[in-house]
């Protein structure tokens, strides 16, 4: 399991920029898997606390049911903001079921709470006619650039 703090320690610059994109808007796009395996997208908020990233859901919402059945998720930062690039994280959503922990984190709200096990983070942006893609997976951090006129450049960062 990779906590937000572990991702931040492994790729501090990327983690900071990805988090800034999520902080730039309140609602983001969460992808889950329906019972038949087809994708479902829903609005969702992300909360960073105690070195972890969390998402909440209303009780018995479809996205919560999806995550309880299949914990894989992808969360795309609100795409309507161009500054700072396009940020996405993916991994596994682990439901917190201990009532005391849920109450402490949610401050008394009754809803589903999921801690995000980050297994991928990606930030893409365009600068001077060059598409930049920076991605992180546990144990691997890569920056890739594809200029309009020239060969692609790939740099292993860690």
């Amino acid at each position: 399991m990779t906590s937000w703090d572990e991702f931040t320690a492994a790729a501090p610059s990327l983690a900071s920029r990805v988090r800034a994109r999520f902080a730039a808007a309140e609602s983001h796009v969460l992808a889950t898997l329906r019972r038949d395996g087809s994708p479902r997208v829903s609005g969702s908020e992300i909360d960073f606390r105690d070195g972890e990233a969390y998402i909440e859901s209303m009780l018995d919402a479809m996205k919560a049911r999806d995550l309880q059945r299949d914990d894989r998720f992808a969360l795309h930062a609100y795409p309507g903001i161009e500054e700072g690039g396009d940020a996405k994280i993916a991994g596994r959503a682990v439901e917190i079921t201990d009532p005391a922990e849920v109450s402490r984190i949610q401050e008394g709200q009754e809803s589903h709470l999921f801690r995000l096990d980050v297994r991928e983070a990606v930030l893409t942006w365009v600068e001077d006619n060059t598409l930049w893609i920076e991605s992180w997976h546990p144990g691997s951090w890569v920056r890739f650039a594809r200029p309009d006129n020239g060969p692609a450049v790939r740099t292993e960062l860690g």
Side-chain angles (χ1 to χ4, degrees), residues 113-145:
L113 177 65
F114 297 89
R115 182 177 52 245
L116 302 181
D117 172 9
V118 181
R119 299 193 180 177
E120 176 184 48
V122 179
L123 185 69
T124 60
W125 70 98
V126 175
E127 183 179 304
D128 298 328
N129 291 325
T130 299
L131 173 65
W132 290 89
I133 303 168
E134 198 166 337
S135 67
W136 174 88
H137 297 84
S140 174
W141 180 17
V142 176
R143 178 175 280 179
F144 179 85

Side-chain angles (χ1 to χ4, degrees), residues 3 5 17 21 24 43 58 71 74 83 87 91 96 128 131 133 141-142 144 146 151-152 155:
S3 70
D5 269 359
R17 289 176 286 134
R21 277 296 288 116
M58 294 185 332
D71 62 358
E83 187 173 319
I96 308 300
D128 298 328
L131 173 65
I133 303 168
W141 180 17
V142 176
F144 179 85
R146 176 163 297 302
T155 306

